[in-house]
Amino acid sequence: MRIWGPLAALCLGTFMLLIDVTIVLAALPSLSGSLGSSLSQLQWVADGYALAVAAALLGAGMLADRHGRRRVYAVGLVVFASASVACALSPDMGWLIAARLVQGVGAAAMFTTTLSLISTLYSGRRLGLAYGVWAAVASSASALGPILGGLLTQALNWRWIFYVNVPVTALALVMTFRCIPRRTPDRDATRRLDVPGVVLCALGAGGCVYALTASHAHGWASAGTLVPLAVALVACAVFVAVQRRSTHPLLDLSLFRRPEFTAAMITIAVGGGAVYGVLPYTSLWLQSVQHLSPIGAGLVVLPHAAAAGLVAVLSGRWMPKPSPRLGATLGLLLAGLGVAAEGFLGPGSGWPALIGGLALSGIGMGLVFQVAAALALGSVPPERAGMAGGAYSTFEQLGYAFGVAVFGTLAVSTMNRSLNDVVPDPENTAQTLSGGGADTLLAATPAGARSAFGHTLHSVFATAHNTLALTAGALAITGAALVLRLTRRRPNPPKSAVAGSPAKPAAAAQVDG
C-alpha cells in the first residue's frame, strides 16, 4: 500500500474530477429536453465547470502550499461531492450551472494538489511510472466521460451522472486519510492568499469565455460581447502587472523563462483545447443527427480512451525523464493529425468515419498528458511544485474551456452560412441545430419536405463538424511546431531547478497534511 495506496487515492479523485468535464456530453440532449436550454446554456454546463476549475486552481495551490496538500485535497473531495448532489437535484438550468461552478471549485482543490503530492511521494523510475499511471487515468477519464454519461443517462437518467460521484469521492476520502502520510507544512506567516490575483484571474478567464459564448447569440459588435471582452482583457493586463510586483505571487511569471515549463503549458492547453474542445459537437452530431443512443455515442469514443490510457502508461514506464522535443512535439502532432482526420464527414457518413481519427488522437493525448505533467513538475525547484501543478491544471482547464467556447462560435457561424438561402431564418435554425435540435427542426417541417430537409441538416452539421476538426488539427500541429522551436536549445538550468524528474526533498517520505 506504500506504493499503490497513495497513488490510488489520488487517481480516484483525478478520475472523478476529469470525468465530470466530459460526462455531461452524452447527456446534453437529455438535459435540453428535461430542463429546456439554449446552446449557450449547454455550453455553460460544460464550460462553467472547467472555467471554475481553472479560475480557482492557482488560489487552491497557494492554500495547499500554506495549509497542507493532503488537507486541501480532502476538503476538495467534500466540496466536490456536495456540489455533485446539488447538480443532481437541479430544477432548472440556472441552478445546474451554479452548482457546476461550485463543483469546479472543489475539483480545483483536488486537481492542484495531485501532481505536487505525486512529485513528493515518488522518485526515480517510480516517479515516471506514477506519472504514467496518473496520465493514463487523466487521459482516459476525459474520453470515458461520454461512455459513462451515456450509460447512466440511458439506463437511469441524466441526474445519475452526478449522483455517481458521491460514493467514489467518499472512497477516495477514506483512502486519502489512510494511505497518504501527513506532515505539518512549513507555514510562512507573511504568505497570504493572493485575493486580487484570484479575482483578476477569474475575471479575465470568465470574461473571455463569456464573450466567446455570447458572440454567436448577440454578434461580435454587440455590447453583450464587447463589454465582457474588454473587462476580461483589462483584468488580464492588471493580473500580469500585479503578479510581477507581488512578493508572493499567485503565479510566478519568471517560471515561463524556463523553456520546458513553457512547453508544458503550451502542450496541455493546446492539446486539451483542440481535441476535447471539439468533442461536445461530435457527441451532438452522433446523437442528434446520427440518432445513436447516449451509450452508443459514448462507445464511439472508446478507441480514443483505450489508446490514450495505454500510451500514457507505456510512455511513463519507458520515459521517466521525458524529452520535450520527442514527447510533447510528437504528442501534439499525432493529436492534431487524429482530430483533423475526423474532419472529412459527408451527408451520408456514419460513426465509423470517426474511429481512426479518434484512436490516433488518443495516442497523441496519451503522450501529451504524461509528458506535459512530468515537464511541468520536473522543470521547477521542488518548493515550486505546488505552483507548477496548479499552473499545469489551470492551463489544461482553460484550454478546454476556450476550446468549447471558440468551437461553439465557429460551429454556429459555419451553420449559419450554410443555411443562408436555404431556410427563412438561418440564424435561429443554426442555433437550434448546433444545440442538438435536429429532430425539433424536422418536426416543424411539412411531412413532404422532411426527407430533403433532413438531408440538408445532415450536410450542414457535417460541414460544421469538418470545419471544427480541421481547425483543431491545424491548431495542434501549430502547437507542435511551436514546442519544437521553443525547446530547440536547452539552456543550462539554474542550480535551484531540476532538469529531469523533480528532486526528492529530504523529508520525501512525508507529505503535507
Side-chain angles (χ1 to χ4, degrees), residues 348-414:
S349 296
W351 61 265
L354 299 174
I355 298 301
L358 286 168
L360 184 58
S361 66
I363 294 173
M365 289 307 296
L367 277 173
V368 163
F369 274 104
Q370 198 278 333
V371 174
L375 287 175
L377 273 293
S379 59
V380 301
E383 63 270 17
R384 288 287 196 231
M387 182 180 288
Y392 168 90
S393 304
T394 298
F395 273 76
E396 177 185 352
Q397 295 305 308
L398 282 179
Y400 175 77
F402 276 95
V404 172
V406 169
F407 291 130
T409 300
L410 184 58
V412 173
S413 62
T414 304

Side-chain angles (χ1 to χ4, degrees), residues 55-137:
L57 271 166
L58 292 175
M62 181 175 280
L63 288 174
D65 286 342
R66 177 173 170 77
H67 298 290
R69 293 163 191 166
R70 190 184 79 156
R71 183 179 293 116
V72 170
Y73 180 71
V75 170
L77 285 168
V78 173
V79 173
F80 180 81
S82 302
S84 296
V85 174
C87 288
L89 298 174
S90 298
D92 53 48
M93 290 297 292
W95 178 295
L96 177 58
I97 292 171
R100 285 282 280 173
L101 293 174
V102 177
Q103 190 186 33
V105 173
M110 297 154 61
F111 206 11
T112 195
T113 50
T114 52
L115 284 175
S116 54
L117 282 169
I118 288 174
S119 70
T120 308
L121 280 164
Y122 303 96
S123 63
R125 296 193 64 83
R126 284 185 176 178
L127 178 62
L129 179 60
Y131 276 142
V133 172
W134 180 89
V137 170

Side-chain angles (χ1 to χ4, degrees), residues 25-33 39 42 279-298 300 345 347 349-351 354 411 415 429-443 450 453-462 464-465:
L25 301 184
L28 290 179
S30 298
L31 275 169
S32 181
L39 174 63
L42 289 178
L279 206 55
Y281 310 102
T282 303
S283 180
L284 287 171
W285 178 77
L286 289 169
Q287 292 188 65
S288 66
V289 176
Q290 295 296 307
H291 295 103
L292 292 184
S293 64
I295 182 61
V300 171
L345 302 177
S349 296
W351 61 265
L354 299 174
M415 291 180 184
T429 303
Q431 292 276 356
T432 303
L433 180 61
S434 62
D439 288 340
T440 302
L441 294 171
L442 287 174
R450 284 180 187 171
F453 189 51
H455 185 272
T456 298
L457 295 181
H458 279 231
S459 177
V460 169
F461 209 125
H465 186 275

